[in-house]
Amino acid sequence: MSVLPIYLFGTKVLRKKASPVQELDPDTVKLVYDMFETMRSSNGIGLAASQVGMLKRVIVIDISDVEEEPGAEGVHSSDTPPKKLVIINPEVVSDSGSWAMEEGCLSIPDLRGEVTRAEEITLEYHDGNFERQRLTAGGLLARVILHEIDHLDGVLFIDHMSKPRRALLRSELNEIKSGRVETSYPVVTAEEE
Ligand code: CO
């Protein structure tokens, strides 16, 4: 397994649409392992393949270390959802409700912003064995899944913020774009891409 560098805001690959995975070939299996290793080493809770420069519809998620606020609205799903999962070729088949929460992103270091997303989603996807699965998720898990699916479509969380709010972040975004940012994990900046 290897830790892959994470592409930062400003790189072109983050704005491209990723392609569906046709089969679980050795390259895709290795990608999944490497993405878990990369996510662990950067303390992330979710990672999309686009963020490591691979335009494949692959997502890894691990929210097992996140303490959810007890009783917080929109945080609990109907049954016990998994905390760690491989999601390939995801499709949201239904969603309901909406709630706002502050998000961050490994591709946009040190920047956070409130994003409104669906409270509960039903998802169809291929798992790590490339078997088709259906999952109903709520709260944080639903949020992370939606954030990562956005990455596969070239969308970043800042795109969901209002124009005035995003304008306030312009200078920070420019710093990241020009590579003037420090991270505890290896990255690829727009200049290096
Ligand atoms: Co992200």
Side-chain angles (χ1 to χ4, degrees), residues 26-191:
D27 283 351
T28 307
V29 173
K30 187 179 187 304
L31 176 65
V32 168
Y33 279 106
D34 288 348
M35 283 173 66
F36 267 112
E37 188 70 7
T38 303
M39 179 172 62
R40 254 193 300 274
S41 73
S42 55
N43 293 314
I45 56 174
L47 188 70
S50 315
Q51 292 180 275
V52 293
M54 296 295 301
L55 289 168
K56 289 183 177 184
R57 300 189 82 78
V58 177
I59 291 167
V60 296
I61 288 174
D62 188 352
I63 55 165
S64 47
D65 287 339
V66 183
E67 295 264 335
E68 293 191 16
E69 280 177 53
E73 204 148 336
V75 175
H76 300 284
S77 75
S78 40
D79 46 351
T80 313
K83 300 265 186 189
K84 193 174 170 180
L85 60 173
V86 178
I87 296 175
I88 300 171
N89 301 336
E91 271 176 69
V92 177
V93 292
S94 69
D95 62 33
S96 61
S98 83
W99 67 303
M101 187 184 141
E102 202 169 73
E103 294 186 12
C105 179
L106 293 171
S107 293
I108 315 175
D110 303 328
L111 206 147
R112 302 187 68 79
E114 201 173 87
V115 179
T116 299
R117 294 193 192 270
E119 209 172 336
E120 192 172 271
I121 58 168
T122 297
L123 186 78
E124 287 184 1
Y125 63 101
H126 291 297
D127 65 13
N129 298 313
F130 215 60
E131 275 160 24
R132 201 71 180 161
Q133 302 287 349
R134 176 181 267 251
L135 169 77
T136 297
L140 182 69
L141 182 58
R143 177 169 295 273
V144 177
I145 291 170
L146 292 170
H147 177 119
E148 303 309 333
I149 291 176
D150 270 355
H151 275 302
L152 302 182
D153 293 324
V155 174
L156 302 172
F157 81 85
I158 49 172
D159 303 342
H160 293 285
M161 298 171 69
S162 65
K163 280 222 171 100
R165 284 192 153 227
R166 198 174 155 170
L168 294 173
L169 306 174
R170 195 172 292 139
S171 63
E172 278 130 303
L173 288 171
N174 282 335
E175 294 283 294
I176 297 170
K177 212 173 190 169
S178 53
R180 287 191 298 271
V181 63
E182 273 189 41
T183 55
S184 59
Y185 45 90
V187 296
V188 176
T189 64
E191 275 180 13

